[in-house]
Structure formats: structure tokens, C-alpha cells
Amino acid sequence: MSVKQLSISPSILASDFAHASDALKQISDSGCDYVHLDVMDGHFVPQITFGSKFIKDLKKESDLVFDTHLMIDKPEEKIESFIDAGADIITFHAEATNHIERCISMIKNSGVSAGIAINPGTSVSAIEAVLDEVDYVLVMTVNPGWGGQKFIPQTIKKIKELDLRRNDEGYNYIIEVDGGINKDNIKMLYDAGVSLAVMGTSFFREDDKESFVDEILEIIDESNYSNS
Ligand code: DX5
Ligand code: ZN
């Protein structure tokens, strides 16, 4: 059995947007390869954050993998602008569109990785038809819209279901989790099949981010040993 890997995708939502390029540098310096970009439109979720121009400008500053999380209604109307901005992964919500398959095709036909996200109240069955097409399944572990919320433990059942289906059907998606992820729950999530973990508050509140990342990876290592 191959040893699983975990990557952390720090969310700049928990950073100071006035110094966003510094936040990207902090992420790279900590040893992470991904940055999570939370796009909120004030409709799908109440808050408004930033759009494709902000991402396009940041992309010039960084080699990180731009993990773009669209919390917007009708993503099909905006996906092109995020492709143009240089997003490496575009994840949209199953609840936000009647055109899930079209959105995935738009993203993948442009050579960008496609992710589908589900809210805590949405079942895996809602995305069943596209599990063979997506590169990422993002399981929201809080209700979307705000950073700093508490992890909802009931979501673990869906993660296990997605892991099982991936094994049974030979699907290739990466399971990503987002919301309330920290040192206390990462081992359980990793063991359930997660290999990409968004961390906003837990990452940016640390002064020594590199040690924080090392500590997370040590927790995961223990998990590998205990499984062998
Ligand atoms: C919530 C966003 C998350 C958020 C996570 O709607 O999608 O990406 O930044 O923040 P934490 O890690 O603080 O829960
Ligand atoms: Zn997010």
C-alpha cells in the first residue's frame, strides 16, 4: 500500500488583504505548495471578498498552486475570468448551479483542474454523476461564508463515503476539506482519505508557520506508522 500524502492549502481569508503578497510569501516560506483563494459574491454566501482581478494580480507574485474556491451563484458565468486570471484549480459549488457538467467541461477544456464542492447539508449523491470527471471533491466542514468556524464532525461520514467510492470505482479525485481544520482533527481527516486540507485561522494565527506545517506532517507520519 502506498503511503498517502497530505498537502496544506492555507486560506488567505485569514490574512490581511492589504498585505496579500506578504501572505503568499509566508505560505511559500512555510513549505506549502498551495494557496486557497476564497471568492465570495454576497449572494451564494453573505460576504463579498475578491474577484478575478485580485487573483490575476497575485498570480504574478507567486509560484504557488492557486486553489480557487468559488462561493458564487451561477459559476458558469464567471469561470472563464478565473481561468484567464491563472487559477490552477477551480472549485465551484454543486448547490450554486444547474449546470454542473458544463462547468466541469469549461474548466477542464482549458487545462485547469476542476473541483466540485458540497456544503455540510449536501449529500454525496448530489455529485454522483460527475465523480469520474472531477480532479477534486471539496467537502465543506463548516457552512461556507466565514473563516474561524468550528469543524462539523458529521461531515466525516461523507469523506469516508467518497474514499470508499474512489477505491471501489477507481476514481482519481483528491478529497479536500475546508473549514475549522487544525492540529486536533487533521489525523482523523487524513485517515478518512483527505489529502488536501485548507487551513485559514489555524495557519495564520501561528507566528512560526514553518514549525506549524512540520508539526502537522509529523502528526500525519504517526498516522502512517500506526496504519502499517
Ligand atoms: C469558508 C471558506 C474557508 C475559510 C476557512 O467559507 O471557504 O476556506 O477560509 O477558514 P478556517 O480555516 O479559519 O475555518
Ligand atoms: Zn474555502
Side-chain angles (χ1 to χ4, degrees):
M1 193 187 105
S2 66
V3 175
K4 291 185 285 177
Q5 297 285 338
L6 179 87
S7 298
I8 299 173
S9 189
S11 167
I12 61 161
L13 187 62
S15 75
D16 181 350
F17 285 177
H19 302 279
S21 60
D22 294 342
L24 295 186
K25 191 166 178 323
Q26 289 176 349
I27 294 170
S28 312
D29 290 349
S30 74
C32 290
D33 298 323
Y34 291 77
V35 56
H36 187 80
L37 299 145
D38 286 307
V39 179
M40 302 187 188
D41 68 350
H43 292 280
F44 182 71
V45 289
Q47 306 291 324
I48 299 176
T49 53
F50 49 78
S52 55
K53 182 181 187 301
F54 187 70
I55 293 177
K56 191 171 194 166
D57 291 348
L58 285 181
K59 187 69 183 169
K60 293 179 211 143
E61 301 282 314
S62 174
D63 293 329
L64 290 164
V65 177
F66 273 38
D67 168 26
T68 309
H69 179 192
L70 300 183
M71 284 164 277
I72 65 175
D73 275 336
K74 297 192 178 169
E76 61 274 13
E77 293 178 2
K78 296 285 182 292
I79 278 169
E80 234 167 71
S81 70
F82 290 97
I83 292 168
D84 177 60
D88 298 290
I89 306 166
I90 298 181
T91 297
F92 63 94
H93 272 262
E95 304 86 356
T97 179
N98 292 323
H99 306 285
I100 290 180
E101 212 286 326
R102 178 146 70 91
C103 288
I104 294 168
S105 302
M106 284 171 81
I107 298 168
K108 294 194 75 167
N109 289 344
S110 305
V112 173
S113 298
I116 184 99
I118 48 173
N119 284 339
T122 303
S123 306
V124 170
S125 60
I127 55 170
E128 193 162 4
V130 293
L131 286 178
D132 62 335
E133 292 178 57
V134 287
D135 302 297
Y136 293 82
V137 176
L138 189 159
V139 177
M140 286 305 302
T141 42
V142 299
N143 286 303
W146 299 268
Q149 300 180 75
K150 211 167 161 290
F151 171 76
I152 299 173
Q154 287 83 353
T155 56
I156 197 88
K157 209 173 140 213
K158 287 193 284 185
I159 295 163
K160 288 180 176 164
E161 184 181 344
L162 283 163
D163 186 48
L164 200 71
R165 298 202 62 145
R166 185 171 52 184
N167 290 338
D168 286 355
E169 317 280 344
Y171 298 145
N172 289 313
Y173 50 77
I174 285 168
I175 304 174
E176 179 175 6
V177 282
D178 185 6
I181 312 301
N182 55 41
K183 284 183 217 168
D184 297 332
N185 52 29
I186 192 65
K187 182 180 186 305
M188 170 185 67
L189 293 164
Y190 176 75
D191 288 345
V194 167
S195 47
L196 185 59
V198 177
M199 294 191 186
T201 308
S202 61
F203 179 88
F204 277 101
R205 75 174 163 214
E206 296 286 335
D207 290 329
D208 187 346
K209 296 174 174 55
E210 194 179 351
S211 300
F212 171 75
V213 170
D214 287 347
E215 215 179 312
I216 294 282
L217 297 179
E218 273 165 32
I219 295 170
I220 297 315
D221 259 355
E222 283 165 22
S223 153
N224 280 329
Y225 292 130
S226 66
N227 280 345
S228 61

PDB file of all heavy atoms in Angstrom, residues 11 13 36 38 40 69 71 140 142-149 178-181 198-202, ligand 1:
ATOM      1  N   SER A  11      -5.545  29.364   3.602  1.00  0.00           N
ATOM      2  CA  SER A  11      -6.521  30.297   3.040  1.00  0.00           C
ATOM      3  C   SER A  11      -6.173  31.720   3.435  1.00  0.00           C
ATOM      4  O   SER A  11      -6.141  32.055   4.631  1.00  0.00           O
ATOM      5  CB  SER A  11      -7.928  29.969   3.546  1.00  0.00           C
ATOM      6  OG  SER A  11      -8.787  31.054   3.222  1.00  0.00           O
ATOM      7  N   LEU A  13      -7.991  34.128   3.371  1.00  0.00           N
ATOM      8  CA  LEU A  13      -9.118  34.800   4.024  1.00  0.00           C
ATOM      9  C   LEU A  13      -8.751  35.210   5.450  1.00  0.00           C
ATOM     10  O   LEU A  13      -9.234  36.216   5.967  1.00  0.00           O
ATOM     11  CB  LEU A  13     -10.331  33.853   4.038  1.00  0.00           C
ATOM     12  CG  LEU A  13     -11.659  34.429   4.528  1.00  0.00           C
ATOM     13  CD1 LEU A  13     -12.136  35.570   3.625  1.00  0.00           C
ATOM     14  CD2 LEU A  13     -12.735  33.345   4.601  1.00  0.00           C
ATOM     15  N   HIS A  36      -5.089  28.822  -0.892  1.00  0.00           N
ATOM     16  CA  HIS A  36      -6.535  28.712  -1.079  1.00  0.00           C
ATOM     17  C   HIS A  36      -7.124  30.123  -1.164  1.00  0.00           C
ATOM     18  O   HIS A  36      -6.907  30.962  -0.292  1.00  0.00           O
ATOM     19  CB  HIS A  36      -7.121  27.949   0.113  1.00  0.00           C
ATOM     20  CG  HIS A  36      -8.564  27.612  -0.013  1.00  0.00           C
ATOM     21  ND1 HIS A  36      -9.038  26.548  -0.756  1.00  0.00           N
ATOM     22  CD2 HIS A  36      -9.665  28.199   0.530  1.00  0.00           C
ATOM     23  CE1 HIS A  36     -10.352  26.477  -0.653  1.00  0.00           C
ATOM     24  NE2 HIS A  36     -10.768  27.473   0.105  1.00  0.00           N
ATOM     25  N   ASP A  38     -10.543  32.220  -1.453  1.00  0.00           N
ATOM     26  CA  ASP A  38     -11.989  32.151  -1.226  1.00  0.00           C
ATOM     27  C   ASP A  38     -12.702  33.313  -1.902  1.00  0.00           C
ATOM     28  O   ASP A  38     -12.666  34.449  -1.424  1.00  0.00           O
ATOM     29  CB  ASP A  38     -12.271  32.186   0.282  1.00  0.00           C
ATOM     30  CG  ASP A  38     -11.927  30.874   0.951  1.00  0.00           C
ATOM     31  OD1 ASP A  38     -12.416  29.827   0.485  1.00  0.00           O
ATOM     32  OD2 ASP A  38     -11.170  30.889   1.937  1.00  0.00           O
ATOM     33  N   MET A  40     -16.063  35.097  -2.700  1.00  0.00           N
ATOM     34  CA  MET A  40     -17.447  35.157  -2.200  1.00  0.00           C
ATOM     35  C   MET A  40     -18.170  36.315  -2.889  1.00  0.00           C
ATOM     36  O   MET A  40     -17.597  37.397  -3.039  1.00  0.00           O
ATOM     37  CB  MET A  40     -17.448  35.386  -0.685  1.00  0.00           C
ATOM     38  CG  MET A  40     -16.701  34.328   0.093  1.00  0.00           C
ATOM     39  SD  MET A  40     -16.927  34.566   1.872  1.00  0.00           S
ATOM     40  CE  MET A  40     -15.761  33.363   2.520  1.00  0.00           C
ATOM     41  N   HIS A  69     -11.524  28.724  -4.764  1.00  0.00           N
ATOM     42  CA  HIS A  69     -12.799  28.208  -4.246  1.00  0.00           C
ATOM     43  C   HIS A  69     -13.882  29.241  -4.529  1.00  0.00           C
ATOM     44  O   HIS A  69     -13.967  30.269  -3.854  1.00  0.00           O
ATOM     45  CB  HIS A  69     -12.631  27.945  -2.738  1.00  0.00           C
ATOM     46  CG  HIS A  69     -13.869  27.443  -2.067  1.00  0.00           C
ATOM     47  ND1 HIS A  69     -14.008  27.377  -0.694  1.00  0.00           N
ATOM     48  CD2 HIS A  69     -15.041  26.956  -2.573  1.00  0.00           C
ATOM     49  CE1 HIS A  69     -15.193  26.891  -0.385  1.00  0.00           C
ATOM     50  NE2 HIS A  69     -15.847  26.635  -1.508  1.00  0.00           N
ATOM     51  N   MET A  71     -17.287  30.580  -4.178  1.00  0.00           N
ATOM     52  CA  MET A  71     -18.563  30.552  -3.446  1.00  0.00           C
ATOM     53  C   MET A  71     -19.441  31.614  -4.093  1.00  0.00           C
ATOM     54  O   MET A  71     -19.705  32.679  -3.525  1.00  0.00           O
ATOM     55  CB  MET A  71     -18.310  30.819  -1.957  1.00  0.00           C
ATOM     56  CG  MET A  71     -17.737  29.612  -1.241  1.00  0.00           C
ATOM     57  SD  MET A  71     -17.016  30.018   0.354  1.00  0.00           S
ATOM     58  CE  MET A  71     -15.419  30.572  -0.180  1.00  0.00           C
ATOM     59  N   MET A 140     -17.070  20.665   2.382  1.00  0.00           N
ATOM     60  CA  MET A 140     -17.113  21.769   3.350  1.00  0.00           C
ATOM     61  C   MET A 140     -17.364  21.182   4.734  1.00  0.00           C
ATOM     62  O   MET A 140     -18.340  20.462   4.939  1.00  0.00           O
ATOM     63  CB  MET A 140     -18.235  22.754   3.006  1.00  0.00           C
ATOM     64  CG  MET A 140     -17.973  23.662   1.809  1.00  0.00           C
ATOM     65  SD  MET A 140     -16.469  24.647   1.873  1.00  0.00           S
ATOM     66  CE  MET A 140     -16.676  25.595   3.381  1.00  0.00           C
ATOM     67  N   VAL A 142     -17.492  23.227   7.384  1.00  0.00           N
ATOM     68  CA  VAL A 142     -18.302  24.253   8.063  1.00  0.00           C
ATOM     69  C   VAL A 142     -19.275  24.763   7.009  1.00  0.00           C
ATOM     70  O   VAL A 142     -19.103  24.478   5.820  1.00  0.00           O
ATOM     71  CB  VAL A 142     -17.447  25.447   8.582  1.00  0.00           C
ATOM     72  CG1 VAL A 142     -16.397  25.000   9.597  1.00  0.00           C
ATOM     73  CG2 VAL A 142     -16.787  26.218   7.424  1.00  0.00           C
ATOM     74  N   ASN A 143     -20.269  25.550   7.429  1.00  0.00           N
ATOM     75  CA  ASN A 143     -21.111  26.196   6.420  1.00  0.00           C
ATOM     76  C   ASN A 143     -20.311  27.340   5.796  1.00  0.00           C
ATOM     77  O   ASN A 143     -19.682  28.123   6.526  1.00  0.00           O
ATOM     78  CB  ASN A 143     -22.405  26.695   7.066  1.00  0.00           C
ATOM     79  CG  ASN A 143     -23.336  25.532   7.371  1.00  0.00           C
ATOM     80  OD1 ASN A 143     -23.696  24.772   6.463  1.00  0.00           O
ATOM     81  ND2 ASN A 143     -23.684  25.352   8.633  1.00  0.00           N
ATOM     82  N   PRO A 144     -20.299  27.427   4.457  1.00  0.00           N
ATOM     83  CA  PRO A 144     -19.413  28.392   3.815  1.00  0.00           C
ATOM     84  C   PRO A 144     -19.804  29.835   4.127  1.00  0.00           C
ATOM     85  O   PRO A 144     -20.964  30.133   4.383  1.00  0.00           O
ATOM     86  CB  PRO A 144     -19.595  28.087   2.327  1.00  0.00           C
ATOM     87  CG  PRO A 144     -20.920  27.459   2.220  1.00  0.00           C
ATOM     88  CD  PRO A 144     -21.122  26.691   3.489  1.00  0.00           C
ATOM     89  N   GLY A 145     -18.810  30.698   4.087  1.00  0.00           N
ATOM     90  CA  GLY A 145     -19.098  32.126   4.236  1.00  0.00           C
ATOM     91  C   GLY A 145     -18.186  32.863   5.192  1.00  0.00           C
ATOM     92  O   GLY A 145     -17.993  34.070   5.052  1.00  0.00           O
ATOM     93  N   TRP A 146     -17.615  32.168   6.140  1.00  0.00           N
ATOM     94  CA  TRP A 146     -16.776  32.815   7.142  1.00  0.00           C
ATOM     95  C   TRP A 146     -15.607  31.917   7.530  1.00  0.00           C
ATOM     96  O   TRP A 146     -15.773  30.689   7.587  1.00  0.00           O
ATOM     97  CB  TRP A 146     -17.569  33.098   8.431  1.00  0.00           C
ATOM     98  CG  TRP A 146     -18.725  34.009   8.233  1.00  0.00           C
ATOM     99  CD1 TRP A 146     -18.732  35.376   8.362  1.00  0.00           C
ATOM    100  CD2 TRP A 146     -20.071  33.640   7.884  1.00  0.00           C
ATOM    101  NE1 TRP A 146     -19.982  35.870   8.092  1.00  0.00           N
ATOM    102  CE2 TRP A 146     -20.821  34.832   7.801  1.00  0.00           C
ATOM    103  CE3 TRP A 146     -20.698  32.415   7.617  1.00  0.00           C
ATOM    104  CZ2 TRP A 146     -22.169  34.833   7.466  1.00  0.00           C
ATOM    105  CZ3 TRP A 146     -22.042  32.412   7.284  1.00  0.00           C
ATOM    106  CH2 TRP A 146     -22.758  33.616   7.215  1.00  0.00           C
ATOM    107  N   GLY A 147     -14.485  32.523   7.844  1.00  0.00           N
ATOM    108  CA  GLY A 147     -13.380  31.789   8.442  1.00  0.00           C
ATOM    109  C   GLY A 147     -13.610  31.671   9.941  1.00  0.00           C
ATOM    110  O   GLY A 147     -14.528  32.283  10.497  1.00  0.00           O
ATOM    111  N   GLY A 148     -12.799  30.860  10.588  1.00  0.00           N
ATOM    112  CA  GLY A 148     -12.809  30.791  12.048  1.00  0.00           C
ATOM    113  C   GLY A 148     -13.975  30.055  12.673  1.00  0.00           C
ATOM    114  O   GLY A 148     -14.236  30.222  13.871  1.00  0.00           O
ATOM    115  N   GLN A 149     -14.690  29.226  11.906  1.00  0.00           N
ATOM    116  CA  GLN A 149     -15.809  28.477  12.498  1.00  0.00           C
ATOM    117  C   GLN A 149     -15.335  27.118  13.010  1.00  0.00           C
ATOM    118  O   GLN A 149     -14.232  26.676  12.738  1.00  0.00           O
ATOM    119  CB  GLN A 149     -16.892  28.248  11.444  1.00  0.00           C
ATOM    120  CG  GLN A 149     -17.479  29.508  10.848  1.00  0.00           C
ATOM    121  CD  GLN A 149     -18.550  29.148   9.823  1.00  0.00           C
ATOM    122  OE1 GLN A 149     -19.660  28.756  10.163  1.00  0.00           O
ATOM    123  NE2 GLN A 149     -18.207  29.277   8.549  1.00  0.00           N
ATOM    124  N   ASP A 178     -12.413  21.762   4.046  1.00  0.00           N
ATOM    125  CA  ASP A 178     -12.326  23.215   4.205  1.00  0.00           C
ATOM    126  C   ASP A 178     -13.247  23.672   5.326  1.00  0.00           C
ATOM    127  O   ASP A 178     -14.468  23.542   5.235  1.00  0.00           O
ATOM    128  CB  ASP A 178     -12.739  23.870   2.867  1.00  0.00           C
ATOM    129  CG  ASP A 178     -12.572  25.373   2.869  1.00  0.00           C
ATOM    130  OD1 ASP A 178     -12.032  25.924   3.852  1.00  0.00           O
ATOM    131  OD2 ASP A 178     -12.991  26.001   1.879  1.00  0.00           O
ATOM    132  N   GLY A 179     -12.619  24.222   6.377  1.00  0.00           N
ATOM    133  CA  GLY A 179     -13.396  24.822   7.468  1.00  0.00           C
ATOM    134  C   GLY A 179     -13.096  24.199   8.822  1.00  0.00           C
ATOM    135  O   GLY A 179     -13.365  23.025   9.043  1.00  0.00           O
ATOM    136  N   GLY A 180     -12.480  24.991   9.686  1.00  0.00           N
ATOM    137  CA  GLY A 180     -12.232  24.537  11.063  1.00  0.00           C
ATOM    138  C   GLY A 180     -11.187  23.442  11.179  1.00  0.00           C
ATOM    139  O   GLY A 180     -11.198  22.667  12.134  1.00  0.00           O
ATOM    140  N   ILE A 181     -10.265  23.373  10.213  1.00  0.00           N
ATOM    141  CA  ILE A 181      -9.253  22.306  10.247  1.00  0.00           C
ATOM    142  C   ILE A 181      -8.049  22.771  11.078  1.00  0.00           C
ATOM    143  O   ILE A 181      -7.564  23.901  10.921  1.00  0.00           O
ATOM    144  CB  ILE A 181      -8.778  21.931   8.815  1.00  0.00           C
ATOM    145  CG1 ILE A 181      -9.960  21.723   7.854  1.00  0.00           C
ATOM    146  CG2 ILE A 181      -7.869  20.699   8.868  1.00  0.00           C
ATOM    147  CD1 ILE A 181     -10.938  20.649   8.242  1.00  0.00           C
ATOM    148  N   VAL A 198      -7.487  22.617   3.704  1.00  0.00           N
ATOM    149  CA  VAL A 198      -7.472  24.081   3.768  1.00  0.00           C
ATOM    150  C   VAL A 198      -7.316  24.479   5.235  1.00  0.00           C
ATOM    151  O   VAL A 198      -7.969  23.904   6.104  1.00  0.00           O
ATOM    152  CB  VAL A 198      -8.793  24.663   3.207  1.00  0.00           C
ATOM    153  CG1 VAL A 198      -8.809  26.184   3.337  1.00  0.00           C
ATOM    154  CG2 VAL A 198      -8.993  24.234   1.756  1.00  0.00           C
ATOM    155  N   MET A 199      -6.441  25.429   5.481  1.00  0.00           N
ATOM    156  CA  MET A 199      -6.305  25.939   6.854  1.00  0.00           C
ATOM    157  C   MET A 199      -6.158  27.453   6.798  1.00  0.00           C
ATOM    158  O   MET A 199      -5.197  27.956   6.205  1.00  0.00           O
ATOM    159  CB  MET A 199      -5.080  25.323   7.539  1.00  0.00           C
ATOM    160  CG  MET A 199      -5.197  23.837   7.767  1.00  0.00           C
ATOM    161  SD  MET A 199      -3.873  23.233   8.845  1.00  0.00           S
ATOM    162  CE  MET A 199      -4.178  21.466   8.760  1.00  0.00           C
ATOM    163  N   GLY A 200      -7.125  28.141   7.367  1.00  0.00           N
ATOM    164  CA  GLY A 200      -7.073  29.599   7.406  1.00  0.00           C
ATOM    165  C   GLY A 200      -6.601  30.075   8.761  1.00  0.00           C
ATOM    166  O   GLY A 200      -5.412  30.358   8.963  1.00  0.00           O
ATOM    167  N   THR A 201      -7.517  30.109   9.713  1.00  0.00           N
ATOM    168  CA  THR A 201      -7.216  30.605  11.058  1.00  0.00           C
ATOM    169  C   THR A 201      -6.055  29.855  11.704  1.00  0.00           C
ATOM    170  O   THR A 201      -5.146  30.479  12.255  1.00  0.00           O
ATOM    171  CB  THR A 201      -8.472  30.438  11.952  1.00  0.00           C
ATOM    172  OG1 THR A 201      -9.568  31.028  11.264  1.00  0.00           O
ATOM    173  CG2 THR A 201      -8.290  31.104  13.296  1.00  0.00           C
ATOM    174  N   SER A 202      -6.080  28.520  11.634  1.00  0.00           N
ATOM    175  CA  SER A 202      -5.058  27.740  12.345  1.00  0.00           C
ATOM    176  C   SER A 202      -3.665  28.006  11.777  1.00  0.00           C
ATOM    177  O   SER A 202      -2.674  27.952  12.504  1.00  0.00           O
ATOM    178  CB  SER A 202      -5.379  26.245  12.315  1.00  0.00           C
ATOM    179  OG  SER A 202      -5.424  25.773  10.988  1.00  0.00           O
TER     180      SER A 202
HETATM  181  C1  DX5 B   1     -15.162  29.330   4.460  1.00  0.00           C
HETATM  182  C2  DX5 B   1     -14.018  29.286   3.496  1.00  0.00           C
HETATM  183  C3  DX5 B   1     -12.788  28.716   4.089  1.00  0.00           C
HETATM  184  C4  DX5 B   1     -12.173  29.514   5.203  1.00  0.00           C
HETATM  185  C5  DX5 B   1     -11.580  28.515   6.158  1.00  0.00           C
HETATM  186  O1  DX5 B   1     -16.329  29.627   3.789  1.00  0.00           O
HETATM  187  O2  DX5 B   1     -14.342  28.506   2.369  1.00  0.00           O
HETATM  188  O3  DX5 B   1     -11.804  28.454   3.092  1.00  0.00           O
HETATM  189  O4  DX5 B   1     -11.167  30.394   4.786  1.00  0.00           O
HETATM  190  O5  DX5 B   1     -11.156  29.187   7.270  1.00  0.00           O
HETATM  191  P1  DX5 B   1     -10.837  28.445   8.633  1.00  0.00           P
HETATM  192  O6  DX5 B   1      -9.678  27.514   8.382  1.00  0.00           O
HETATM  193  O7  DX5 B   1     -10.495  29.572   9.536  1.00  0.00           O
HETATM  194  O8  DX5 B   1     -12.061  27.703   9.065  1.00  0.00           O
END
